[in-house]
Amino acid sequence: DARVTQTPRHKVTEMGQEVTMRCQPILGHNTVFWYRQTMMQGLELLAYFRNRAPLDDSGMPKDRFSAEMPDATLATLKIQPSEPRDSAVYFCASGLVPPKEGYGYTFGSGTRLTVV
Amino acid sequence: QQQVKQSPQSLIVQKGGISIINCAYENTAFDYFPWYQQFPGKGPALLIAIRPDVSEKKEGRFTISFNKSAKQFSLHIMDSQPGDSATYFCAASRTSGTYKYIFGTGTRLKVLA
């Protein structure tokens, strides 16, 4: 089965440090999303890309977060400087748009970030 | 207008019972409604989805009921099993333009053995 691969799975870092999370979308998918999941806020959309171009990053705190797709096989989400309130699980999801049969986005297993 | 409201927040059901999770939306432009299932430590996985041209879709023990006039849709899990214990998210999307999902807040389901 094709899957979305996220690294690292877990990250513990000190406040103020830079954090980089990586995502390898499914080959052939042209749309990539970054979500943040917390108990309080549920699944928040941070940013998404179509054909590697950013379409919407209005959900991201611009002063510290940045998202890029340097190539079709890699999406990155960076936080600099990190803060304790950034502690959450970050998910990447990919899909093909326009969709074929069985339209739906495939999520990775997430990166659990803890900022102390 | 972009919100999807999901209820209940948590649900406890006896094995063999019916689990029902409800969602409501405001934006009439939404035309695709998927449900995702998430187990602890995993990412959400697509479970079942419906378009507004049908009122019901069934896949095994999982059924989506859709009420276009009320702008509501629900997930029914028949003969609920302990293995169904997970968090369930509804979502709404337009099948044009951005195609982005608006997720509900999630329902944590526990099925007692």
Side-chain angles (χ1 to χ4, degrees):
Chain A
D1 277 347
R3 59 179 184 164
V4 175
T5 303
Q6 288 188 247
T7 56
R9 288 296 314 275
H10 303 274
K11 177 73 176 179
V12 180
T13 191
E14 291 186 347
M15 182 173 63
Q17 296 297 304
E18 178 178 298
V19 175
T20 298
M21 290 169 270
R22 293 177 173 79
C23 168
Q24 181 177 355
I26 292 173
L27 188 65
H29 283 184
N30 62 356
T31 302
V32 174
F33 297 84
W34 281 105
Y35 285 91
R36 176 169 63 184
Q37 185 174 36
T38 61
M39 288 295 292
M40 296 301 294
Q41 300 294 330
L43 280 163
E44 298 176 87
L45 178 62
L46 297 176
Y48 70 101
F49 296 79
R50 178 83 38 80
N51 298 318
R52 294 177 54 202
L55 286 192
D56 185 354
D57 61 2
S58 58
M60 277 197 325
K62 298 292 191 304
D63 55 339
R64 300 184 299 108
F65 285 61
S66 63
E68 295 180 342
M69 277 202 77
D71 63 61
T73 64
L74 178 64
T76 62
L77 180 66
K78 290 186 181 181
I79 307 175
Q80 168 63 17
S82 57
E83 297 181 1
R85 59 180 168 152
D86 301 328
S87 297
V89 181
Y90 291 81
F91 287 105
C92 174
S94 74
L96 182 62
V97 171
K100 295 181 177 178
E101 293 263 353
Y103 162 50
Y105 298 122
T106 303
F107 281 75
S109 295
T111 294
R112 181 175 294 275
L113 173 66
T114 303
V115 183
V116 298
Chain B
Q1 270 239 323
Q2 288 294 315
Q3 276 191 321
V4 176
K5 296 181 180 179
Q6 184 172 347
S7 64
Q9 192 172 20
S10 62
L11 182 61
I12 299 175
V13 173
Q14 294 287 339
K15 179 181 175 181
I18 302 173
S19 304
I20 302 174
I21 304 170
N22 300 300
C23 285
Y25 63 98
E26 291 290 326
N27 189 343
T28 55
F30 289 146
D31 58 359
Y32 186 75
F33 303 90
W35 285 88
Y36 277 74
Q37 179 188 55
Q38 184 181 27
F39 293 106
K42 303 290 186 183
L46 179 65
L47 185 63
I48 187 173
I50 197 169
R51 296 183 189 271
D53 52 345
V54 297
S55 60
E56 185 176 283
K57 183 173 181 180
K58 185 176 181 180
E59 289 184 4
R61 297 183 294 108
F62 299 90
T63 300
I64 301 179
S65 297
F66 186 82
N67 186 330
K68 188 174 181 178
S69 60
K71 292 185 285 186
Q72 295 175 347
F73 57 109
S74 59
L75 177 69
H76 296 236
I77 306 174
M78 312 301 287
D79 187 26
S80 299
Q81 299 296 312
D84 297 330
S85 298
T87 300
Y88 292 82
F89 293 93
C90 63
S93 171
R94 293 179 59 185
T95 55
S96 63
T98 63
Y99 289 86
K100 69 179 181 180
Y101 285 176
I102 306 298
F103 279 98
T105 49
T107 296
R108 184 171 292 186
L109 171 66
K110 186 175 178 65
V111 181
L112 302 176

Tab-separated table of all heavy atoms in Angstrom, chain B residues 35-62:
chain	number	residue	atom	x	y	z
B	35	TRP	N	-15.785	10.633	6.163
B	35	TRP	CA	-15.557	10.326	7.567
B	35	TRP	C	-14.191	9.663	7.686
B	35	TRP	O	-13.850	8.783	6.893
B	35	TRP	CB	-16.621	9.374	8.109
B	35	TRP	CG	-17.938	10.037	8.356
B	35	TRP	CD1	-18.952	10.206	7.471
B	35	TRP	CD2	-18.384	10.609	9.589
B	35	TRP	NE1	-20.013	10.843	8.072
B	35	TRP	CE2	-19.688	11.107	9.368
B	35	TRP	CE3	-17.822	10.740	10.870
B	35	TRP	CZ2	-20.427	11.731	10.369
B	35	TRP	CZ3	-18.552	11.361	11.857
B	35	TRP	CH2	-19.850	11.848	11.604
B	36	TYR	N	-13.455	10.080	8.714
B	36	TYR	CA	-12.146	9.517	8.976
B	36	TYR	C	-12.160	8.841	10.354
B	36	TYR	O	-12.825	9.293	11.277
B	36	TYR	CB	-11.055	10.601	8.940
B	36	TYR	CG	-10.570	10.916	7.539
B	36	TYR	CD1	-11.355	11.645	6.658
B	36	TYR	CD2	-9.326	10.472	7.111
B	36	TYR	CE1	-10.908	11.913	5.378
B	36	TYR	CE2	-8.870	10.731	5.829
B	36	TYR	CZ	-9.669	11.453	4.975
B	36	TYR	OH	-9.216	11.719	3.694
B	37	GLN	N	-11.361	7.781	10.444
B	37	GLN	CA	-11.216	7.013	11.685
B	37	GLN	C	-9.758	7.123	12.119
B	37	GLN	O	-8.844	6.936	11.300
B	37	GLN	CB	-11.585	5.551	11.428
B	37	GLN	CG	-11.464	4.618	12.609
B	37	GLN	CD	-11.680	3.168	12.163
B	37	GLN	OE1	-11.006	2.671	11.251
B	37	GLN	NE2	-12.628	2.487	12.788
B	38	GLN	N	-9.545	7.409	13.399
B	38	GLN	CA	-8.173	7.549	13.883
B	38	GLN	C	-7.959	6.720	15.139
B	38	GLN	O	-8.654	6.911	16.136
B	38	GLN	CB	-7.840	9.021	14.173
B	38	GLN	CG	-6.387	9.244	14.587
B	38	GLN	CD	-6.092	10.701	14.900
B	38	GLN	OE1	-6.958	11.470	15.283
B	38	GLN	NE2	-4.828	11.098	14.734
B	39	PHE	N	-6.977	5.830	15.075
B	39	PHE	CA	-6.571	5.055	16.246
B	39	PHE	C	-5.409	5.768	16.925
B	39	PHE	O	-4.655	6.516	16.283
B	39	PHE	CB	-6.170	3.640	15.844
B	39	PHE	CG	-7.317	2.821	15.332
B	39	PHE	CD1	-7.459	2.542	13.982
B	39	PHE	CD2	-8.284	2.330	16.207
B	39	PHE	CE1	-8.526	1.796	13.506
B	39	PHE	CE2	-9.357	1.592	15.741
B	39	PHE	CZ	-9.477	1.323	14.394
B	40	PRO	N	-5.230	5.541	18.240
B	40	PRO	CA	-4.149	6.215	18.965
B	40	PRO	C	-2.793	5.979	18.314
B	40	PRO	O	-2.454	4.862	17.935
B	40	PRO	CB	-4.224	5.570	20.355
B	40	PRO	CG	-5.647	5.154	20.500
B	40	PRO	CD	-6.078	4.716	19.132
B	41	GLY	N	-2.045	7.054	18.150
B	41	GLY	CA	-0.709	6.963	17.582
B	41	GLY	C	-0.676	6.855	16.075
B	41	GLY	O	0.409	6.700	15.484
B	42	LYS	N	-1.825	6.925	15.440
B	42	LYS	CA	-1.914	6.808	13.975
B	42	LYS	C	-2.519	8.069	13.385
B	42	LYS	O	-3.152	8.860	14.080
B	42	LYS	CB	-2.781	5.604	13.593
B	42	LYS	CG	-2.318	4.284	14.161
B	42	LYS	CD	-1.030	3.828	13.527
B	42	LYS	CE	-0.645	2.444	14.003
B	42	LYS	NZ	0.663	2.013	13.434
B	43	GLY	N	-2.336	8.223	12.064
B	43	GLY	CA	-3.007	9.307	11.377
B	43	GLY	C	-4.442	8.923	11.044
B	43	GLY	O	-4.785	7.736	11.012
B	44	PRO	N	-5.297	9.914	10.804
B	44	PRO	CA	-6.672	9.613	10.387
B	44	PRO	C	-6.678	8.839	9.071
B	44	PRO	O	-5.850	9.092	8.190
B	44	PRO	CB	-7.295	10.999	10.213
B	44	PRO	CG	-6.435	11.924	11.014
B	44	PRO	CD	-5.058	11.352	10.934
B	45	ALA	N	-7.611	7.914	8.936
B	45	ALA	CA	-7.735	7.107	7.725
B	45	ALA	C	-9.161	7.218	7.199
B	45	ALA	O	-10.119	7.158	7.979
B	45	ALA	CB	-7.379	5.650	8.001
B	46	LEU	N	-9.293	7.375	5.891
B	46	LEU	CA	-10.613	7.501	5.274
B	46	LEU	C	-11.416	6.236	5.513
B	46	LEU	O	-10.974	5.124	5.233
B	46	LEU	CB	-10.458	7.755	3.773
B	46	LEU	CG	-11.747	7.895	2.980
B	46	LEU	CD1	-12.526	9.129	3.426
B	46	LEU	CD2	-11.456	7.980	1.482
B	47	LEU	N	-12.638	6.433	6.020
B	47	LEU	CA	-13.506	5.308	6.358
B	47	LEU	C	-14.594	5.127	5.299
B	47	LEU	O	-14.787	4.062	4.747
B	47	LEU	CB	-14.134	5.559	7.734
B	47	LEU	CG	-14.992	4.493	8.358
B	47	LEU	CD1	-14.180	3.241	8.633
B	47	LEU	CD2	-15.610	5.013	9.658
B	48	ILE	N	-15.316	6.191	5.040
B	48	ILE	CA	-16.441	6.157	4.110
B	48	ILE	C	-16.758	7.605	3.759
B	48	ILE	O	-16.470	8.513	4.536
B	48	ILE	CB	-17.658	5.443	4.759
B	48	ILE	CG1	-18.795	5.225	3.767
B	48	ILE	CG2	-18.120	6.173	6.016
B	48	ILE	CD1	-19.938	4.378	4.338
B	49	ALA	N	-17.346	7.805	2.575
B	49	ALA	CA	-17.660	9.166	2.156
B	49	ALA	C	-18.942	9.176	1.350
B	49	ALA	O	-19.338	8.147	0.775
B	49	ALA	CB	-16.508	9.755	1.340
B	50	ILE	N	-19.591	10.339	1.279
B	50	ILE	CA	-20.854	10.457	0.564
B	50	ILE	C	-20.903	11.779	-0.177
B	50	ILE	O	-20.297	12.766	0.242
B	50	ILE	CB	-22.045	10.326	1.546
B	50	ILE	CG1	-23.347	10.038	0.792
B	50	ILE	CG2	-22.176	11.581	2.419
B	50	ILE	CD1	-24.496	9.626	1.713
B	51	ARG	N	-21.622	11.782	-1.312
B	51	ARG	CA	-21.917	13.012	-2.030
B	51	ARG	C	-23.394	13.325	-1.843
B	51	ARG	O	-24.188	12.425	-1.588
B	51	ARG	CB	-21.569	12.847	-3.513
B	51	ARG	CG	-20.097	12.631	-3.759
B	51	ARG	CD	-19.789	12.535	-5.240
B	51	ARG	NE	-18.414	12.127	-5.490
B	51	ARG	CZ	-17.393	12.963	-5.602
B	51	ARG	NH1	-17.589	14.271	-5.502
B	51	ARG	NH2	-16.176	12.515	-5.823
B	52	PRO	N	-23.820	14.580	-1.980
B	52	PRO	CA	-25.198	14.955	-1.643
B	52	PRO	C	-26.265	14.471	-2.615
B	52	PRO	O	-27.451	14.729	-2.390
B	52	PRO	CB	-25.128	16.490	-1.603
B	52	PRO	CG	-23.945	16.860	-2.409
B	52	PRO	CD	-22.985	15.746	-2.298
B	53	ASP	N	-25.884	13.754	-3.678
B	53	ASP	CA	-26.904	13.257	-4.588
B	53	ASP	C	-27.534	11.952	-4.094
B	53	ASP	O	-28.476	11.437	-4.703
B	53	ASP	CB	-26.322	13.061	-5.996
B	53	ASP	CG	-25.052	12.226	-6.004
B	53	ASP	OD1	-24.455	12.038	-4.926
B	53	ASP	OD2	-24.660	11.767	-7.095
B	54	VAL	N	-27.031	11.411	-2.966
B	54	VAL	CA	-27.643	10.223	-2.358
B	54	VAL	C	-27.919	10.519	-0.889
B	54	VAL	O	-27.268	11.357	-0.285
B	54	VAL	CB	-26.756	8.968	-2.480
B	54	VAL	CG1	-26.557	8.591	-3.931
B	54	VAL	CG2	-25.414	9.192	-1.796
B	55	SER	N	-28.901	9.820	-0.319
B	55	SER	CA	-29.274	10.072	1.073
B	55	SER	C	-28.626	9.087	2.030
B	55	SER	O	-28.629	9.305	3.238
B	55	SER	CB	-30.795	10.013	1.234
B	55	SER	OG	-31.260	8.730	0.848
B	56	GLU	N	-28.066	8.021	1.488
B	56	GLU	CA	-27.461	7.024	2.356
B	56	GLU	C	-26.406	6.239	1.590
B	56	GLU	O	-26.558	5.958	0.401
B	56	GLU	CB	-28.544	6.069	2.882
B	56	GLU	CG	-28.054	5.063	3.895
B	56	GLU	CD	-29.183	4.219	4.458
B	56	GLU	OE1	-29.927	4.717	5.318
B	56	GLU	OE2	-29.308	3.063	4.015
B	57	LYS	N	-25.339	5.895	2.309
B	57	LYS	CA	-24.304	5.039	1.732
B	57	LYS	C	-23.868	4.052	2.794
B	57	LYS	O	-23.612	4.443	3.941
B	57	LYS	CB	-23.117	5.854	1.242
B	57	LYS	CG	-22.045	4.997	0.574
B	57	LYS	CD	-20.975	5.838	-0.031
B	57	LYS	CE	-19.925	4.978	-0.719
B	57	LYS	NZ	-18.847	5.797	-1.321
B	58	LYS	N	-23.787	2.794	2.404
B	58	LYS	CA	-23.455	1.745	3.364
B	58	LYS	C	-22.232	0.978	2.894
B	58	LYS	O	-22.131	0.604	1.725
B	58	LYS	CB	-24.646	0.797	3.516
B	58	LYS	CG	-24.475	-0.273	4.564
B	58	LYS	CD	-25.750	-1.090	4.709
B	58	LYS	CE	-25.589	-2.147	5.780
B	58	LYS	NZ	-26.830	-2.953	5.943
B	59	GLU	N	-21.312	0.751	3.832
B	59	GLU	CA	-20.162	-0.094	3.561
B	59	GLU	C	-19.948	-0.984	4.780
B	59	GLU	O	-19.462	-0.540	5.819
B	59	GLU	CB	-18.904	0.731	3.267
B	59	GLU	CG	-18.945	1.442	1.928
B	59	GLU	CD	-17.657	2.178	1.585
B	59	GLU	OE1	-16.685	2.086	2.366
B	59	GLU	OE2	-17.639	2.868	0.552
B	60	GLY	N	-20.359	-2.219	4.646
B	60	GLY	CA	-20.249	-3.136	5.765
B	60	GLY	C	-21.118	-2.687	6.928
B	60	GLY	O	-22.318	-2.447	6.768
B	61	ARG	N	-20.512	-2.508	8.104
B	61	ARG	CA	-21.277	-2.084	9.285
B	61	ARG	C	-21.391	-0.565	9.386
B	61	ARG	O	-22.025	-0.057	10.319
B	61	ARG	CB	-20.612	-2.647	10.543
B	61	ARG	CG	-20.603	-4.173	10.619
B	61	ARG	CD	-19.987	-4.668	11.923
B	61	ARG	NE	-18.574	-4.370	12.031
B	61	ARG	CZ	-18.060	-3.450	12.841
B	61	ARG	NH1	-18.853	-2.727	13.626
B	61	ARG	NH2	-16.752	-3.248	12.887
B	62	PHE	N	-20.770	0.152	8.469
B	62	PHE	CA	-20.742	1.614	8.518
B	62	PHE	C	-21.708	2.196	7.496
B	62	PHE	O	-21.683	1.825	6.326
B	62	PHE	CB	-19.325	2.129	8.246
B	62	PHE	CG	-18.302	1.647	9.248
B	62	PHE	CD1	-17.607	0.467	9.045
B	62	PHE	CD2	-18.059	2.378	10.400
B	62	PHE	CE1	-16.678	0.026	9.973
B	62	PHE	CE2	-17.126	1.944	11.327
B	62	PHE	CZ	-16.441	0.765	11.123
